[in-house]
Short mmCIF file of all heavy atoms in Angstrom, two decimals:
data_model
loop_
_atom_site.label_atom_id
_atom_site.label_comp_id
_atom_site.label_asym_id
_atom_site.label_seq_id
_atom_site.Cartn_x
_atom_site.Cartn_y
_atom_site.Cartn_z
N ILE A 12 -5.14 -4.65 -11.04
CA ILE A 12 -4.17 -5.58 -10.46
C ILE A 12 -4.87 -6.84 -10.05
O ILE A 12 -4.28 -7.87 -10.06
CB ILE A 12 -3.50 -4.90 -9.25
CG1 ILE A 12 -2.70 -3.60 -9.67
CG2 ILE A 12 -2.42 -5.84 -8.58
CD1 ILE A 12 -2.11 -2.74 -8.62
N THR A 16 -3.69 -10.70 -10.86
CA THR A 16 -3.35 -11.78 -9.80
C THR A 16 -4.29 -12.93 -9.91
O THR A 16 -3.80 -13.99 -9.64
CB THR A 16 -3.52 -10.87 -8.48
OG1 THR A 16 -2.69 -9.82 -8.45
CG2 THR A 16 -3.20 -11.89 -7.31
N VAL A 18 -5.39 -14.30 -12.45
CA VAL A 18 -4.78 -15.18 -13.61
C VAL A 18 -3.56 -15.96 -13.07
O VAL A 18 -3.48 -17.20 -13.18
CB VAL A 18 -4.40 -14.34 -14.81
CG1 VAL A 18 -3.55 -15.18 -15.74
CG2 VAL A 18 -5.59 -13.77 -15.55
N LEU A 20 -2.75 -16.80 -9.90
CA LEU A 20 -3.08 -17.82 -8.98
C LEU A 20 -3.81 -18.96 -9.59
O LEU A 20 -3.57 -20.12 -9.16
CB LEU A 20 -4.04 -17.11 -7.90
CG LEU A 20 -3.45 -16.09 -7.02
CD1 LEU A 20 -4.44 -15.29 -6.17
CD2 LEU A 20 -2.44 -16.78 -6.03
N LEU A 30 -14.22 -11.33 -5.29
CA LEU A 30 -15.27 -10.41 -4.70
C LEU A 30 -15.01 -9.00 -5.20
O LEU A 30 -13.88 -8.55 -5.35
CB LEU A 30 -15.14 -10.41 -3.17
CG LEU A 30 -16.16 -9.64 -2.40
CD1 LEU A 30 -16.36 -10.23 -1.08
CD2 LEU A 30 -15.56 -8.12 -2.24
N SER A 38 -17.32 -6.49 -14.59
CA SER A 38 -17.35 -8.02 -14.44
C SER A 38 -16.75 -8.64 -15.77
O SER A 38 -16.39 -9.74 -15.58
CB SER A 38 -18.80 -8.41 -14.18
OG SER A 38 -19.63 -8.04 -15.24
N SER A 51 -12.75 -22.08 -13.90
CA SER A 51 -13.90 -21.41 -13.40
C SER A 51 -13.68 -21.06 -11.93
O SER A 51 -12.79 -21.77 -11.28
CB SER A 51 -15.17 -22.15 -13.56
OG SER A 51 -15.17 -23.32 -12.79
N GLU A 56 -20.63 -10.44 -5.92
CA GLU A 56 -20.83 -8.99 -5.99
C GLU A 56 -21.16 -8.56 -4.56
O GLU A 56 -22.23 -8.78 -4.02
CB GLU A 56 -21.94 -8.56 -6.93
CG GLU A 56 -22.02 -7.03 -7.05
CD GLU A 56 -22.88 -6.70 -8.18
OE1 GLU A 56 -23.49 -7.60 -8.90
OE2 GLU A 56 -23.20 -5.43 -8.33
N LYS A 64 -23.27 -9.73 4.01
CA LYS A 64 -22.91 -10.59 2.88
C LYS A 64 -21.47 -11.08 3.10
O LYS A 64 -21.31 -12.27 2.72
CB LYS A 64 -22.84 -9.59 1.67
CG LYS A 64 -24.11 -9.35 0.91
CD LYS A 64 -24.00 -8.69 -0.41
CE LYS A 64 -25.20 -8.43 -1.16
NZ LYS A 64 -24.98 -7.76 -2.41
N LEU A 65 -20.55 -10.45 3.74
CA LEU A 65 -19.29 -11.02 3.98
C LEU A 65 -19.43 -12.16 4.91
O LEU A 65 -18.77 -13.29 4.73
CB LEU A 65 -18.38 -9.94 4.71
CG LEU A 65 -17.70 -8.87 3.90
CD1 LEU A 65 -16.86 -7.96 4.71
CD2 LEU A 65 -16.85 -9.45 2.69
N TYR A 97 -12.15 7.57 3.35
CA TYR A 97 -12.02 7.14 4.68
C TYR A 97 -13.06 6.06 5.05
O TYR A 97 -12.73 5.05 5.64
CB TYR A 97 -12.03 8.22 5.72
CG TYR A 97 -10.87 9.13 5.65
CD1 TYR A 97 -10.97 10.49 5.48
CD2 TYR A 97 -9.55 8.54 5.81
CE1 TYR A 97 -9.83 11.38 5.40
CE2 TYR A 97 -8.43 9.38 5.80
CZ TYR A 97 -8.56 10.82 5.55
OH TYR A 97 -7.52 11.58 5.50
N MET A 111 -12.94 -11.67 9.30
CA MET A 111 -11.76 -12.69 9.17
C MET A 111 -11.57 -13.20 10.59
O MET A 111 -11.26 -14.43 10.76
CB MET A 111 -10.59 -11.95 8.57
CG MET A 111 -10.68 -11.68 7.10
SD MET A 111 -9.17 -10.76 6.54
CE MET A 111 -7.97 -12.07 6.79
N TYR A 128 5.42 6.40 1.89
CA TYR A 128 6.74 6.94 2.15
C TYR A 128 6.81 8.44 2.11
O TYR A 128 7.85 9.08 2.63
CB TYR A 128 7.63 6.38 1.22
CG TYR A 128 8.02 4.89 1.28
CD1 TYR A 128 7.75 4.01 0.28
CD2 TYR A 128 8.70 4.48 2.45
CE1 TYR A 128 7.98 2.74 0.42
CE2 TYR A 128 8.97 3.04 2.64
CZ TYR A 128 8.60 2.16 1.60
OH TYR A 128 8.96 0.83 1.77
N THR A 136 13.23 2.35 1.25
CA THR A 136 13.34 1.13 1.99
C THR A 136 12.34 0.98 3.09
O THR A 136 11.70 1.83 3.58
CB THR A 136 14.83 0.99 2.63
OG1 THR A 136 14.84 2.14 3.57
CG2 THR A 136 15.90 1.10 1.63
N ASN A 146 -2.11 13.42 0.86
CA ASN A 146 -3.45 13.16 0.38
C ASN A 146 -4.27 12.17 1.09
O ASN A 146 -3.71 11.21 1.75
CB ASN A 146 -3.42 12.93 -1.18
CG ASN A 146 -2.68 11.73 -1.52
OD1 ASN A 146 -3.32 10.57 -1.31
ND2 ASN A 146 -1.48 11.77 -1.88
N LYS A 160 -0.66 -3.48 11.98
CA LYS A 160 0.44 -3.69 12.92
C LYS A 160 -0.10 -3.83 14.39
O LYS A 160 0.26 -4.72 15.14
CB LYS A 160 1.35 -2.55 12.87
CG LYS A 160 2.23 -2.37 11.70
CD LYS A 160 3.05 -1.03 11.76
CE LYS A 160 3.62 -0.68 10.36
NZ LYS A 160 4.31 0.61 10.44
N MET A 173 2.09 -6.67 3.92
CA MET A 173 1.72 -5.36 3.32
C MET A 173 2.59 -5.07 2.18
O MET A 173 3.79 -4.65 2.37
CB MET A 173 1.76 -4.27 4.48
CG MET A 173 1.00 -4.61 5.71
SD MET A 173 1.05 -3.35 6.99
CE MET A 173 2.81 -3.10 7.32
N GLY A 189 -6.46 -5.62 -18.99
CA GLY A 189 -5.67 -4.51 -18.82
C GLY A 189 -6.26 -3.46 -17.97
O GLY A 189 -7.33 -3.77 -17.40
N ARG A 205 -3.91 7.08 -24.28
CA ARG A 205 -5.16 7.79 -24.80
C ARG A 205 -4.62 8.76 -26.00
O ARG A 205 -5.23 8.86 -26.96
CB ARG A 205 -5.77 8.51 -23.60
CG ARG A 205 -7.10 9.07 -24.01
CD ARG A 205 -7.85 9.65 -22.75
NE ARG A 205 -9.07 10.38 -23.17
CZ ARG A 205 -10.22 9.70 -23.23
NH1 ARG A 205 -10.39 8.51 -22.79
NH2 ARG A 205 -11.31 10.40 -23.65
N VAL A 221 3.68 17.43 -19.88
CA VAL A 221 4.76 17.03 -18.90
C VAL A 221 4.95 18.15 -18.06
O VAL A 221 5.31 19.29 -18.46
CB VAL A 221 6.03 16.82 -19.80
CG1 VAL A 221 7.23 16.54 -19.00
CG2 VAL A 221 5.83 15.75 -20.83
N ILE A 245 2.68 -11.63 -9.89
CA ILE A 245 3.40 -12.80 -9.37
C ILE A 245 3.96 -12.49 -8.06
O ILE A 245 4.15 -13.50 -7.27
CB ILE A 245 4.68 -12.94 -10.38
CG1 ILE A 245 4.00 -13.62 -11.69
CG2 ILE A 245 5.63 -14.03 -9.88
CD1 ILE A 245 5.02 -13.60 -12.84
N ASN A 264 8.28 -3.87 -0.31
CA ASN A 264 8.10 -3.21 -1.64
C ASN A 264 7.96 -4.15 -2.80
O ASN A 264 8.55 -5.12 -2.82
CB ASN A 264 9.43 -2.39 -1.80
CG ASN A 264 9.55 -1.21 -0.95
OD1 ASN A 264 8.61 -0.65 -0.43
ND2 ASN A 264 10.88 -0.73 -0.86
N ILE A 277 8.08 7.98 -22.43
CA ILE A 277 7.54 8.43 -23.66
C ILE A 277 8.44 7.85 -24.84
O ILE A 277 7.85 7.17 -25.77
CB ILE A 277 7.51 9.88 -23.82
CG1 ILE A 277 6.50 10.47 -22.86
CG2 ILE A 277 7.17 10.36 -25.19
CD1 ILE A 277 6.51 12.01 -22.70
N THR A 279 10.48 5.20 -24.86
CA THR A 279 10.43 3.78 -24.94
C THR A 279 9.03 3.37 -25.55
O THR A 279 8.99 2.43 -26.32
CB THR A 279 10.56 3.18 -23.51
OG1 THR A 279 11.87 3.60 -23.07
CG2 THR A 279 10.58 1.69 -23.67
N ASP A 299 4.92 17.22 -6.50
CA ASP A 299 5.56 16.19 -7.27
C ASP A 299 7.05 16.04 -6.79
O ASP A 299 7.69 17.03 -6.69
CB ASP A 299 5.45 16.51 -8.75
CG ASP A 299 4.21 16.05 -9.41
OD1 ASP A 299 3.48 15.40 -8.65
OD2 ASP A 299 3.97 16.43 -10.57
N LEU A 314 10.63 -12.78 -0.05
CA LEU A 314 9.56 -13.54 -0.95
C LEU A 314 10.31 -14.29 -2.07
O LEU A 314 9.68 -15.08 -2.72
CB LEU A 314 8.73 -12.56 -1.64
CG LEU A 314 7.85 -11.58 -0.83
CD1 LEU A 314 7.01 -10.68 -1.57
CD2 LEU A 314 7.05 -12.40 0.23
N THR A 318 11.57 -8.95 -10.45
CA THR A 318 10.91 -8.64 -11.60
C THR A 318 11.62 -9.15 -12.79
O THR A 318 12.87 -9.29 -12.83
CB THR A 318 10.64 -7.10 -11.82
OG1 THR A 318 11.93 -6.44 -11.80
CG2 THR A 318 9.82 -6.55 -10.66
N TRP A 332 -3.11 -4.24 -25.52
CA TRP A 332 -4.43 -4.15 -24.77
C TRP A 332 -5.26 -2.95 -25.36
O TRP A 332 -6.40 -3.12 -25.67
CB TRP A 332 -4.15 -4.00 -23.29
CG TRP A 332 -5.26 -3.30 -22.53
CD1 TRP A 332 -5.18 -2.06 -22.03
CD2 TRP A 332 -6.45 -3.81 -22.28
NE1 TRP A 332 -6.43 -1.78 -21.35
CE2 TRP A 332 -7.30 -2.80 -21.52
CE3 TRP A 332 -7.10 -4.98 -22.48
CZ2 TRP A 332 -8.55 -3.02 -21.02
CZ3 TRP A 332 -8.49 -5.18 -22.02
CH2 TRP A 332 -9.07 -4.14 -21.34
N LYS A 334 -5.05 -1.43 -28.27
CA LYS A 334 -5.46 -1.55 -29.60
C LYS A 334 -6.52 -2.57 -29.70
O LYS A 334 -7.47 -2.43 -30.61
CB LYS A 334 -4.26 -2.10 -30.46
CG LYS A 334 -3.30 -0.96 -30.78
CD LYS A 334 -2.31 -1.35 -31.92
CE LYS A 334 -1.51 -2.65 -31.61
NZ LYS A 334 -0.61 -3.06 -32.67
#
Side-chain angles (χ1 to χ4, degrees):
I12 302 169
T16 301
V18 168
L20 288 168
L30 181 151
S38 60
S51 62
E56 184 170 354
K64 277 191 178 179
L65 283 179
Y97 291 123
M111 289 178 67
Y128 289 118
T136 58
N146 58 79
K160 293 174 189 176
M173 306 183 300
R205 190 174 176 92
V221 176
I245 291 168
N264 290 337
I277 293 170
T279 303
D299 277 351
L314 302 181
T318 58
W332 153 253
K334 285 195 301 180

